Amino acid sequence: LSLHDALPISDGNPMGLTLATNLTVLGGNISAVTVSLDITGGFNGDLYAYLVGPNGGFAMLLNRVGVGTNSSESSFGYHDAGFNITFNDSATANGNIHDYQTVSGYAGLLNGGSWQPDGRNMDPQSSLPLFDTTIPSAFLSSFNGSNPNGTWTLFLADLSSGGQSSVVSWGLGITTVPVPEPSTLSFIAMSGLGAILVVRRQRRKTYSR
């Protein structure tokens, strides 16, 4: 969704910015989701972002990238200003966005590259060691199997003052598969099971007399 004007994310304000889009034309159930996000300005380490689906699912896209106790991290996170990337659970080549500065040539990969979501489903104001020990779990695969139609909500917040980030655009890539109808074999098996249950009840009733 390209925005007519870049929307600012309030600096140092956990209330953040909520963007939503409504889908009503897709058939089948979700088999994969990707998210494109173009951010300009500010400090990437200040950003916190997640996606909520219309019928279940929750993905943590950003949770203060670079924050932690490892040598490449700090209490403030990475100071790069903006990016234009795609979040994809399958982006194993570049890996998790939280530690992107550990990837060779990361500067170029922040412009058009694909990264796995942060996935750390935790309070972004937590102590530094928790960013290292929390196992990423909130991925885009959480939407798989659900109906894609309805309101999708993207939330973004800047959690530290000093530098204004803005959203230039964001988008969803959704792959669906048809919802399978019960096969004839399934109906036969169910009917057969029902017949067996009836026979067993009749036999038990006869035996009790």
Side-chain angles (χ1 to χ4, degrees), residues 21-174:
T21 186
N22 187 57
L23 299 181
T24 59
V25 296
L26 293 178
N29 286 340
I30 296 170
S31 61
V33 173
T34 62
V35 179
S36 59
L37 185 57
D38 188 352
I39 299 283
T40 185
F43 298 96
N44 293 348
D46 294 348
L47 298 176
Y48 174 76
Y50 60 77
L51 180 70
V52 178
N55 300 292
F58 174 86
M60 184 65 68
L61 305 179
L62 299 166
N63 198 340
R64 303 185 65 202
V65 292
V67 170
T69 60
N70 295 330
S71 58
S72 65
E73 300 170 331
S74 71
S75 59
F76 301 104
Y78 296 149
H79 289 177
D80 305 286
F83 49 78
N84 184 7
I85 63 175
T86 297
F87 294 99
N88 186 338
D89 284 355
S90 300
T92 54
N94 295 333
N96 193 292
I97 190 66
H98 192 84
D99 302 307
Y100 70 71
Q101 282 194 1
T102 63
V103 177
S104 177
Y106 74 85
L109 295 170
L110 290 180
N111 185 19
S114 292
W115 298 82
Q116 292 176 325
D118 192 300
R120 290 165 175 76
N121 190 10
M122 54 178 280
D123 185 340
Q125 303 288 13
S126 298
S127 63
L128 299 188
L130 280 178
F131 284 90
D132 300 330
T133 59
T134 297
I135 298 174
S137 60
F139 292 115
L140 294 164
S141 59
S142 66
F143 303 112
N144 291 358
S146 64
N147 185 329
N149 295 298
T151 300
W152 290 81
T153 303
L154 174 68
F155 175 81
L156 305 103
D158 182 312
L159 300 176
S160 182
S161 298
Q164 179 76 65
S165 296
S166 297
V167 183
V168 177
S169 66
W170 73 286
L172 292 170
I174 299 176

